[in-house]
Amino acid sequence: MRAKIYPGIPRGEVKIPASKSMAHRAVICAALAAGQSTLSNLTLSNDIHATIAGMRQLGASENWLAADKLQLSGAGQLQADKPLTVDCGESGSTLRFFIPIFALCGERVRFICHGRLPQRPQTVYQEIFAAQNLHFASFDDGKNAGWEIAGSLRPGAYSLKGNVSSQFISGLLFALPLLPGNSTITIEPPFESRSYVELTLSMLQKFGISANWQDEYTLAIPGSQTYQPADVSIEGDFSQLAFFAVLGAINSEITLRGVDPNSAQGDRRIIEFIRHMGGHITQNMDGYIVAPGNLQAAALDLSDCPDLGPALSVLAARAKGTTRFYNAGRLRIKESDRIADVEAELARFGITTHSTADELFISGNPTANLIANELCAAHNDHRIVMALAVLATICSQPVLIEQAEAINKSYPRFFKDLQNLGIKVELSDVN
């Protein structure tokens, strides 16, 4: 699909979709509980669909009560009577959350991965499985690629580096409470993305699972626990709010609704970053009003919020001076290399950038006349599509974006929400 985004001034308000991070966690917990749970304010995207479909293979079943309301019936037991094949789509969260969980079912399991997911590192699990003499291997049979496991994890002491994805820690947190003995997880500093671990702990608590900090870097997880059904409303997603917040900061005032200003989401830092760079933000009961200001470059730490990188790159492009993003290395192993690919796309607009392995520098110009010199590429990355669409609204000419369907990974209604703000969007199929 090709998207043509026209320059325009946004007006009005947008309701931010449900947090994808929290939805993954809620679906998994509900599917592991014996009984019925109801998840409301749930946004169905490709990633969430992959998680629902995967948990169905462990005995869960679902019933949609409304477009955003899902009733999940969990099996409560992790047993399989045959080898399993689980399609994780392009969802890193789905894969990394599933591996420890499915390792408890007692069967050989193959996880099919698409896009860049087969190449994204799984070293943490490889080392854990090897230490317990369990099978863990990649596969590529010419038709499908991914990872294969066999054997059940054992309770005990786990140690993980803190500068890798927190998804590995969360995956263990879902599985270890179900083992017959107690476990600990020790995180070696520096501990990045701690906020995502806190999101997992908060969701586990809602479903009756106990896991607590013994100290700053050690989690204690009692064994022989059972998930309890719960009714949960999924809070709004700050990683998606980021794109509209940047739109308001570089273009015209808009109102953002449907988020909790007191959320524990690490991506809530988008509010702090925009304010720090000079954007005007007013908090209201369920969101914010964002308006342009005198944007100035800044040094921004992405260690706890790497998903903000693409949106913030657009903000930096309109700020005076050179913005430095640091602790940003994990942007290179997302759906795309988000440092290299953001640089490539910004270059089409004449925006100067440079980078290192762990940093990105963007030289912004708040008054430049922006024109895309050629067709923009999405690099099959939903966040790059949304970042380019926001930048397009302040250009002198319409901007064409290839592979715009990548938004379906996390935010299928993004273009509709952009249109509801008054931005003209034309979508066309391209063979």
Side-chain angles (χ1 to χ4, degrees), residues 235-312:
E235 64 178 89
D237 195 335
F238 275 87
S239 61
Q240 311 294 24
L241 172 143
F243 296 97
F244 288 104
V246 168
L247 177 63
I250 68 171
N251 193 320
S252 182
E253 179 182 300
I254 55 176
T255 298
L256 312 176
R257 296 179 45 250
V259 294
D260 178 6
N262 297 312
S263 172
Q265 294 177 49
D267 288 343
R268 187 166 64 94
R269 293 200 71 189
I270 186 64
I271 303 302
E272 170 192 336
F273 288 155
I274 290 176
R275 283 175 172 156
H276 180 57
M277 293 180 69
H280 297 300
I281 298 183
T282 303
Q283 179 179 317
N284 55 30
M285 184 175 297
D286 69 339
Y288 304 89
I289 299 172
V290 186
N294 182 21
L295 296 176
Q296 302 291 320
L300 304 179
D301 181 358
L302 297 187
S303 60
D304 202 41
C305 50
D307 283 344
L308 294 182
L312 286 169

Side-chain angles (χ1 to χ4, degrees), residues 78-347:
L78 289 175
Q79 294 183 350
D81 57 6
K82 62 181 179 180
L84 300 176
T85 299
V86 182
D87 193 331
C88 295
E90 298 183 28
S91 176
S93 294
T94 303
L95 174 65
R96 289 170 174 165
F97 291 168
F98 275 5
I99 287 173
I101 295 169
F102 279 77
L104 306 183
C105 74
E107 284 286 350
R108 186 173 294 263
V109 183
R110 275 196 162 194
F111 300 98
I112 296 174
C113 306
H114 302 271
R116 287 188 86 207
L117 189 54
Q119 288 78 48
R120 291 174 70 175
Q122 309 300 330
T123 308
V124 173
Y125 287 149
Q126 286 176 295
E127 293 175 350
I128 288 173
F129 276 64
Q132 297 192 18
N133 295 315
L134 304 175
H135 175 67
F136 190 104
S138 63
F139 72 88
D140 187 343
D141 59 16
K143 181 180 179 182
N144 295 308
W147 301 89
E148 183 181 82
I149 65 171
S152 182
L153 289 175
R154 296 188 292 274
Y158 291 78
S159 180
L160 285 72
K161 293 181 179 179
N163 61 352
V164 297
S165 173
S166 64
Q167 292 168 351
F168 297 109
I169 303 170
S170 291
L172 290 171
L173 282 170
F174 289 123
L176 295 180
L178 299 174
L179 294 175
N182 299 337
S183 299
T184 59
I185 301 174
T186 300
I187 298 102
E188 301 173 16
F191 186 4
E192 299 178 3
S193 295
R194 181 188 289 266
S195 64
Y196 286 95
V197 176
E198 295 292 350
L199 294 181
T200 302
L201 293 172
S202 69
M203 189 61 70
L204 288 171
Q205 186 178 39
K206 294 179 189 296
F207 286 85
I209 296 295
S210 173
N212 301 293
W213 292 104
Q214 282 186 336
D215 56 44
E216 188 177 0
Y217 297 106
T218 306
L219 282 158
I221 305 103
S224 301
Q225 299 188 62
T226 56
Y227 284 79
Q228 304 300 318
D231 295 339
V232 175
S233 179
I234 311 299
E235 64 178 89
D237 195 335
F238 275 87
S239 61
Q240 311 294 24
L241 172 143
F243 296 97
F244 288 104
V246 168
L247 177 63
I250 68 171
N251 193 320
S252 182
E253 179 182 300
I254 55 176
T255 298
L256 312 176
R257 296 179 45 250
V259 294
D260 178 6
N262 297 312
S263 172
Q265 294 177 49
D267 288 343
R268 187 166 64 94
R269 293 200 71 189
I270 186 64
I271 303 302
E272 170 192 336
F273 288 155
I274 290 176
R275 283 175 172 156
H276 180 57
M277 293 180 69
H280 297 300
I281 298 183
T282 303
Q283 179 179 317
N284 55 30
M285 184 175 297
D286 69 339
Y288 304 89
I289 299 172
V290 186
N294 182 21
L295 296 176
Q296 302 291 320
L300 304 179
D301 181 358
L302 297 187
S303 60
D304 202 41
C305 50
D307 283 344
L308 294 182
L312 286 169
S313 69
V314 174
L315 187 71
R318 295 307 270 180
K320 183 178 181 181
T322 299
T323 294
R324 172 189 173 228
F325 301 103
Y326 62 100
N327 291 326
R330 273 185 292 137
L331 288 171
R332 294 195 179 277
I333 53 173
K334 294 289 189 175
E335 284 81 350
S336 68
D337 180 339
R338 286 182 179 161
I339 291 180
D341 294 337
V342 161
E343 286 191 279
E345 296 314 306
L346 291 182

